[in-house]
Structure formats: C-alpha cells, structure tokens
Amino acid sequence: MTDAVRSYWDAQAETFDDEADHGLADPAVRGAWEALLLPLIPEPGSDVADLGCGTGSLSLLLGSAGHRVRGMDLSGNMVDIARAKAAAAGVSAEFVVGDASSPALAPGSFDAVLARHVLWALPDPDAALARWTGLLRDPGTIILVEGLWGTGAGIPADRCVELVRRHRKNATVTMLGDPALWGKEITDERYLIVSTS
C-alpha cells in the first residue's frame, strides 16, 4: 500500500469514530454489532485477526467477549487510537501497524479473520483473500463486512462471494440493511459474508 493511502487514513483517524458504526458509542449500534458478530465466533477465547481494524472498535467488542484479538491497520494514527481505547476500556487486545493486504502474521495462527470495509479498497482482493485464508487454523472462519457504496465505490456481494469461493468451499451472504447497524437508514448495498470452510 502506498504512503498516500497511509497519509489519507492518518488524517481521517481523529474523526473516524464520529460515524456511528465506526465508534460504536451508541449502545443500540454497539448491541446490533454484538448480535451480528459474536455468534460467528462461538468458541470462547478464540484467536481473531481484525485486519484493517481502524480505531479498533470491533476488536474491542470481540476482546470484551473474551476473544484474543490482534488488530492491524496501515494507519499509525488509527492504531494509536485503538490502543488508547483498549487501555481505557480495560480490554486486552493487541494492535500493530501493518498492511492488511499482506499481513505479517503467522500462518495457521487464527481461528477467525475479520475485515470490515477493507477488501474492496485493496489493489488485489483475490491475493489478499489467499493470504487471509492462510492465516487460519483449519477450518477457521472468514468474516467480511463489505458493500457497494452510494458513491459507486465498493464491491457487489455476488463478486465478493465469487472471490471468497476461489479460496474456500463455502460463503454465505447476509444483507445488512438494518439501520441499527449504521445508526441511520441506508440505501446502498451492505452485506456480511461468512466462510467456515
């Protein structure tokens, strides 16, 4: 990833959590994300990689539920905020600066890989998925939250499923139109893909 991309996200870090689904400050929004994600990682104390973790809100959510979370983001400013949030909340989660498209993490060391609003922005999503699959203990779970935004950016659900199935046997899609997840009504395509083998 380029220095320009890193600089862009560094500049966004201070206000990133202002979006309801980024900061999860609203208890209703946080509760909606808990209800969505926690059942997908049912084993207590699972090892989870949160790639492109931003300010760490989902990492903290999973860490609060007893999972061992390692968050990674290209932006050092985002990682600094994530670390501060974890310390303030008393949540044990590790955050490192790194490229989510090619994470420097040990192969076969995670029970789940989570990426929210990341895959669509990577230069080679197919190669990234291959690397992410390699991080999993067999069979492991891949959890993707993606979308085709109103701006025209993003990746359609059918295309994302096709990419996942190049590396995994299954991939199920759930559309995420519930305003509770976003803190507002949405009109674009947002979805969850889960692959368990």
Side-chain angles (χ1 to χ4, degrees):
M1 300 290 273
T2 67
D3 288 339
V5 173
R6 179 182 289 107
S7 295
Y8 173 82
W9 289 112
D10 276 344
Q12 298 297 310
E14 188 175 330
T15 58
F16 189 76
D17 281 350
D18 292 351
E19 290 288 327
D21 62 303
H22 292 172
L24 304 185
D26 181 330
V29 175
R30 181 181 175 85
W33 283 99
E34 286 176 337
L36 179 70
L37 295 178
L38 294 185
L40 302 177
I41 312 172
E43 292 297 320
S46 292
D47 292 302
V48 181
D50 182 4
L51 302 179
C53 67
T55 59
S57 295
L58 294 185
S59 294
L60 268 65
L61 186 151
L62 296 173
S64 295
H67 298 298
R68 293 181 297 272
V69 184
R70 187 159 195 195
M72 175 179 285
D73 201 273
L74 188 65
S75 164
N77 290 355
M78 294 276 192
V79 167
D80 288 344
I81 291 170
R83 289 174 178 156
K85 286 166 59 174
V91 173
S92 179
E94 182 181 353
F95 296 97
V96 296
V97 176
D99 185 348
S101 68
S102 185
L105 300 171
S109 59
F110 293 94
D111 302 300
V113 169
L114 166 67
R116 180 173 65 166
H117 305 166
V118 175
L119 191 67
W120 73 272
L122 300 181
D124 189 344
D126 187 54
L129 280 166
R131 293 182 189 106
W132 296 355
T133 298
L135 295 176
L136 294 171
R137 297 184 182 110
D138 190 40
T141 301
I142 287 189
I143 304 164
L144 304 175
V145 177
E146 289 294 337
L148 185 60
W149 322 123
T151 61
I155 182 170
D158 57 350
R159 172 69 177 137
C160 200
V161 167
E162 175 187 316
L163 286 168
V164 172
R165 287 185 177 156
R166 289 182 185 178
H167 307 281
R168 310 276 290 171
K169 292 178 184 174
N170 69 54
T172 59
V173 180
T174 303
M175 302 312 290
L176 301 180
D178 184 353
L181 290 164
W182 314 107
K184 61 184 177 184
E185 295 286 339
I186 59 160
T187 57
D188 50 17
E189 179 182 285
R190 302 183 191 194
Y191 56 88
L192 167 75
I193 293 181
V194 179
S195 174
T196 55
S197 65

